[in-house]
Amino acid sequence: MPDFTATKSRFHLPQGVTYLDGNSLGPLPRAAADRMGRVMQDEWGEMLITGWNKAGWMAQPGVLGDRIGRLIGAEPGHVMLGDTLSIKVYQALAAALSLRPGRRVILSDTGNFPTDLYMAEGLIKMLGQGHELRCVAPEEVEDAITEEVAALMLTEVDYRTGRRHDMPHLTQKAHAVGALAIWDLAHSAGAVPVDVAGGKADFAVGCTYKFLNGGPGAPAFIYVAPRHAEATAPALSGWLGHAAPFEFEQTYRAAPGVARMRVGTPPVLAMASLEAALDIWDGVEMAQVYARAQTLSERFIQGIEATCPMLTLASPRDPDQRGSQVSFRFAHGYEAMQACIAHGVIGDFRAPDIMRFGITPLYLDEGDIDRAIEVVTKVMVQELWDDDTYRHRSAVT
Amino acid sequence: MPDFTATKSRFHLPQGVTYLDGNSLGPLPRAAADRMGRVMQDEWGEMLITGWNKAGWMAQPGVLGDRIGRLIGAEPGHVMLGDTLSIKVYQALAAALSLRPGRRVILSDTGNFPTDLYMAEGLIKMLGQGHELRCVAPEEVEDAITEEVAALMLTEVDYRTGRRHDMPHLTQKAHAVGALAIWDLAHSAGAVPVDVAGGKADFAVGCTYKFLNGGPGAPAFIYVAPRHAEATAPALSGWLGHAAPFEFEQTYRAAPGVARMRVGTPPVLAMASLEAALDIWDGVEMAQVYARAQTLSERFIQGIEATCPMLTLASPRDPDQRGSQVSFRFAHGYEAMQACIAHGVIGDFRAPDIMRFGITPLYLDEGDIDRAIEVVTKVMVQELWDDDTYRHRSAVT
């Protein structure tokens, strides 16, 4: 079992704050500012342009990609860091469609994070070949996997409810009809055990500012299964995905493997912060983190349900069906969450009525969970529930 | 006249180094590490997720966009920061082609930076409508602007030679035949006076890690002329370019104006460094910077030509035809540049034979230019030129 007291001590958590919003933005690793200072002063400041080679900046997107790869079950050398999640979705989807030229359906679900759907819309319009983005309810996905489908594009853990899709099972279904599977791991990487290789995902994408604690706007990543790595023509064919970027050739030649998913100049400073964040994951196994998250989540659910009858669990009750978050429905959830935040318990609200709490064992323990229960109870029972308008005074100022 | 001694004092320049490579990566502004530390500790560390509003992170891409906008003559509210230059080229080009649906030619030149050409290639393949990327020699561009052309896509300052295109003139030519003009300002922003509004550019893109000194991998920017701002359907339709990102709607609706060119979550940490870098530009006028760059460039050219007959000026001799760099051709330029770097004068080499020196008045003065002349002369005359192989010993170890 990892020493979660030790991992907690490696984060800066503000005085008086219980932070259950790591599924939106992870907290600051204590070492991150130092590491950033060193990269700025000793590398950028002293090495200047030579830092690209001397300090290893150019190789960093692949090095960090592999460190994330370990946490999602990827084969070494098949994860690349860069850009934003939206861009990586676009790359994965464009590649998948090019591998299934005869098919016209992108299958997704209404639980997918909107940017995935928006990027698909934009791609479809661009292609102009009559592709269709078919969005069904999450529970209808399995039956909707037909031979029309080129790509199944799903977010494994629902950002609102925390409901997990069965990735290996749905991927197998997709493959059985000749479709490809793209998995968005935004709420999975660093939260639940993922096995992209064993589960035979074709593509996977994710971000690093949530459970991985890379910092606000930290770069995204993309995984391309080895069997597709040489077969995909990148849609966003930037110079750093070229086989020989510094030859400055006039014509694009894709780099080997996942390196072709690089686009422009890598975000060196953002990577410095992420590197410090990933250090905390060294020696930590995802299965153990997830087991602990389940324990903490059960404690939270039981505590809240015992005292707050007006809150309805929006997450699956079965722990194995959940990611590393717990969500409740409440009609005035926005105001309720504002009141919780005013009392130092930070979760977040997702329209129309979801109060969302991220459960992150690297820096949350039983004491934090109990404090959160206490504050949510105080807000719901003493402040909001007694008020006919359900509006907390502090929320309307 | 700005006080260039004062601006120089605001940069960290390593002991013993004369840095003529700011056109590849600008040096560290002294205030950048502090500013980064504050954003990490006081904003991310203390505000956590609330920093998106409280610390203004969400608005920052537009705020910084406008500060860059001043340096390129853009109307306020029409420049947006984010992503990499390659991505911004793709967005601009896709938008331009969608505005000229009946035309099939993208006109560029062989002096364009390769990633612009590569991104165009990828876009053309994606569109599958038979578009053609037509690349002519820089001096043939004007005659090649015909009614077939949908978009003229050029880099204003040639990355190899520093040769400037006449942006207003070529834009006018393009408009006269009904084409649109996209300008890549990678080597222009912070280097030469640019007037995208007055020059009637339709789109402009650029990066912030060269003359603007934002740091390695700092974000890019895009300008969309007001007349097109509401007319362009974004190809990369990410959630932060949505009219109401936090409504989490299932369908994309473009945000007003240039905000639709936002894609994913903005790079908060990278923006912190850039903000400190842009502070140095406050009160500095581009015309004055450029005038001083011309003075320093003339001094450099005269000094080198007086002592190094084996170097051939690759940049235009007329100062007004040059950006803020001076390039020389030399068959063994790679080895020669390595030797210069070993002696503390950092420029760079661009294949096949270009030795490139960026002239950046914010932190270079006559003493630096004279030292660079001295070192280049020493390398060329005493070390390389006397050696039959033209190879400096230190370059082959």
Side-chain angles (χ1 to χ4, degrees):
Chain A
M1 196 71 170
D3 179 352
F4 287 114
T5 310
T7 59
K8 183 173 184 171
S9 73
R10 295 177 73 176
F11 288 93
H12 171 79
L13 296 160
Q15 279 289 334
V17 166
T18 304
Y19 194 59
L20 284 86
D21 207 1
N23 54 338
S24 199
L25 173 68
L28 174 70
R30 287 188 189 281
D34 266 4
R35 170 76 195 141
M36 179 67 85
R38 284 209 308 282
V39 168
M40 292 181 80
Q41 304 280 6
D42 303 347
E43 298 183 4
W44 176 17
E46 291 295 323
M47 299 179 192
L48 293 160
I49 192 69
T50 66
W52 285 108
N53 295 315
K54 259 194 219 165
W57 299 341
M58 199 49 91
Q60 191 78 321
V63 172
L64 296 182
D66 274 345
R67 294 181 70 182
I68 294 163
R70 181 183 74 85
L71 301 173
I72 62 167
E75 302 89 342
H78 291 277
V79 177
M80 189 56 65
L81 203 79
D83 305 296
T84 64
L85 180 48
S86 299
I87 296 293
K88 293 300 163 202
V89 166
Y90 190 84
Q91 288 184 295
L93 193 53
L97 296 185
S98 78
L99 291 169
R100 292 296 177 270
R103 298 181 177 214
R104 289 290 174 270
V105 173
I106 300 164
L107 179 63
S108 192
D109 71 16
T110 54
N112 206 343
F113 190 74
T115 207
D116 296 33
L117 307 178
Y118 302 161
M119 293 304 288
E121 263 189 73
L123 178 63
I124 286 172
K125 198 180 289 180
M126 178 85 79
L127 290 170
Q129 295 170 16
H131 284 89
E132 173 197 346
L133 174 61
R134 191 175 290 171
C135 260
V136 301
E139 59 277 13
E140 291 166 1
V141 165
E142 184 166 348
D143 288 343
I145 300 173
T146 65
E147 291 190 356
E148 292 174 286
V149 176
L152 175 66
M153 176 184 78
L154 294 171
T155 296
E156 192 208 8
V157 175
D158 187 299
Y159 76 105
R160 284 194 173 106
T161 65
R163 183 263 317 125
R164 284 181 80 180
H165 274 306
D166 185 339
M167 184 168 125
H169 178 69
L170 292 177
T171 300
Q172 190 189 26
K173 283 272 172 180
H175 291 174
V177 299
L180 296 172
I182 301 167
W183 289 96
D184 179 340
L185 305 178
H187 288 268
S188 307
V192 301
V194 179
D195 183 4
V196 291
K200 297 201 169 12
D202 297 290
F203 299 89
V205 295
C207 64
T208 63
Y209 47 76
K210 297 178 186 290
F211 293 90
L212 297 176
N213 313 302
F221 64 84
I222 186 166
Y223 163 79
V224 180
R227 63 190 173 281
H228 302 308
E230 303 296 329
T232 52
L236 300 173
S237 41
W239 73 304
L240 286 184
H242 191 281
F246 291 93
E247 298 295 320
F248 300 101
E249 296 170 7
Q250 294 277 311
T251 307
Y252 185 76
R253 287 188 294 127
V258 76
R260 68 187 60 184
M261 291 296 173
R262 295 176 73 143
V263 185
T265 305
V268 174
L269 302 187
M271 291 193 298
S273 175
L274 176 59
E275 188 179 36
L278 291 175
D279 285 348
I280 304 177
W281 288 96
D282 286 346
V284 173
E285 293 300 323
M286 276 313 308
Q288 296 172 321
V289 174
Y290 186 50
R292 173 114 174 111
Q294 289 182 319
T295 304
L296 295 174
S297 297
E298 287 301 296
R299 187 182 186 102
F300 188 62
I301 293 170
Q302 285 167 23
I304 294 292
E305 291 192 328
T307 56
C308 301
M310 69 296 284
L311 294 184
T312 310
L313 185 66
S315 300
R317 193 160 293 278
D318 175 357
D320 291 336
Q321 305 280 316
R322 279 197 309 264
S324 203
Q325 73 177 69
V326 173
S327 300
F328 292 96
R329 291 190 192 282
F330 180 59
H332 297 279
Y334 177 78
E335 291 81 0
M337 188 55 84
Q338 290 299 311
C340 291
I341 292 171
H343 288 290
V345 171
I346 304 183
D348 63 33
F349 172 78
R350 284 291 175 260
D353 61 355
I354 295 277
M355 295 173 69
R356 186 176 85 166
F357 301 92
I359 310 294
T360 46
L362 285 198
Y363 54 84
L364 289 180
D365 56 25
E366 284 79 359
D368 297 310
I369 297 296
D370 293 349
R371 171 141 196 277
I373 295 166
E374 191 186 311
V375 165
V376 174
T377 302
K378 183 179 154 84
V379 164
M380 300 306 300
V381 178
Q382 291 172 26
E383 299 189 10
L384 276 176
W385 191 241
D386 289 345
D387 180 338
D388 279 351
T389 67
Y390 298 133
R391 287 176 188 277
H392 185 257
R393 284 167 299 280
S394 72
V396 290
T397 56
Chain B
M1 200 67 173
D3 179 353
F4 288 114
T5 310
T7 59
K8 183 172 184 174
S9 73
R10 296 177 73 175
F11 288 93
H12 172 80
L13 296 161
Q15 279 288 334
V17 166
T18 303
Y19 193 58
L20 284 84
D21 206 2
N23 54 337
S24 198
L25 173 67
L28 174 67
R30 287 189 189 278
D34 265 5
R35 170 76 195 144
M36 179 67 85
R38 285 208 308 281
V39 168
M40 293 182 79
Q41 304 280 6
D42 304 347
E43 298 184 4
W44 175 18
E46 292 296 322
M47 299 179 192
L48 293 159
I49 191 70
T50 65
W52 285 108
N53 294 315
K54 259 194 221 165
W57 299 342
M58 198 51 91
Q60 192 78 321
V63 172
L64 296 183
D66 274 346
R67 293 180 72 181
I68 294 163
R70 180 181 77 83
L71 301 173
I72 61 167
E75 302 88 343
H78 291 276
V79 177
M80 188 56 65
L81 203 81
D83 305 297
T84 63
L85 181 49
S86 300
I87 296 292
K88 294 301 164 202
V89 165
Y90 190 84
Q91 288 185 295
L93 193 52
L97 296 184
S98 77
L99 291 169
R100 291 295 177 270
R103 298 183 177 211
R104 289 290 172 273
V105 173
I106 299 164
L107 179 63
S108 192
D109 71 18
T110 53
N112 207 343
F113 191 74
T115 205
D116 296 36
L117 307 177
Y118 302 161
M119 293 305 287
E121 263 190 73
L123 177 64
I124 286 171
K125 200 181 286 181
M126 177 86 77
L127 289 169
Q129 295 170 16
H131 285 88
E132 173 199 346
L133 174 60
R134 191 173 291 169
C135 259
V136 301
E139 60 277 14
E140 290 165 3
V141 166
E142 184 168 348
D143 288 343
I145 300 173
T146 65
E147 291 191 353
E148 292 175 285
V149 176
L152 174 66
M153 177 184 78
L154 295 171
T155 295
E156 193 208 8
V157 175
D158 187 298
Y159 75 106
R160 285 195 172 105
T161 64
R163 183 265 315 126
R164 286 181 82 180
H165 274 306
D166 185 339
M167 183 168 127
H169 178 69
L170 292 176
T171 301
Q172 189 189 24
K173 284 271 172 183
H175 291 174
V177 298
L180 296 171
I182 301 168
W183 289 96
D184 180 339
L185 304 178
H187 288 268
S188 306
V192 300
V194 180
D195 184 3
V196 290
K200 297 200 168 15
D202 296 289
F203 300 89
V205 296
C207 65
T208 63
Y209 46 76
K210 297 178 186 289
F211 292 91
L212 297 176
N213 312 303
F221 64 84
I222 186 167
Y223 163 78
V224 181
R227 63 191 173 279
H228 302 307
E230 303 297 327
T232 51
L236 301 173
S237 41
W239 73 306
L240 286 185
H242 191 281
F246 291 93
E247 299 294 321
F248 300 103
E249 296 169 8
Q250 295 276 311
T251 306
Y252 184 76
R253 287 189 293 127
V258 76
R260 69 188 60 184
M261 292 297 173
R262 295 175 73 141
V263 186
T265 304
V268 174
L269 302 187
M271 291 191 298
S273 174
L274 176 59
E275 189 179 35
L278 291 176
D279 285 348
I280 304 176
W281 287 97
D282 286 346
V284 173
E285 294 300 323
M286 277 312 309
Q288 295 172 323
V289 174
Y290 186 50
R292 173 114 174 112
Q294 289 182 319
T295 303
L296 295 174
S297 296
E298 287 300 297
R299 187 183 187 101
F300 188 61
I301 293 170
Q302 284 168 22
I304 294 293
E305 291 193 329
T307 55
C308 302
M310 70 294 286
L311 294 184
T312 310
L313 185 66
S315 300
R317 193 161 293 277
D318 175 358
D320 292 335
Q321 305 280 315
R322 281 196 310 263
S324 202
Q325 72 176 70
V326 173
S327 300
F328 292 95
R329 292 189 192 284
F330 179 60
H332 297 279
Y334 177 79
E335 292 80 1
M337 187 56 83
Q338 289 300 310
C340 291
I341 293 171
H343 289 289
V345 170
I346 305 183
D348 63 32
F349 171 78
R350 286 290 175 258
D353 61 355
I354 295 276
M355 296 174 70
R356 187 176 83 166
F357 301 92
I359 309 296
T360 49
L362 286 198
Y363 55 84
L364 289 180
D365 56 25
E366 284 79 359
D368 298 309
I369 296 297
D370 292 348
R371 172 144 193 273
I373 294 166
E374 190 186 315
V375 165
V376 173
T377 302
K378 183 179 156 82
V379 164
M380 300 306 301
V381 178
Q382 293 172 25
E383 300 190 8
L384 276 175
W385 192 242
D386 289 347
D387 179 339
D388 278 351
T389 68
Y390 299 132
R391 287 172 190 280
H392 183 255
R393 283 166 299 282
S394 71
V396 291
T397 54

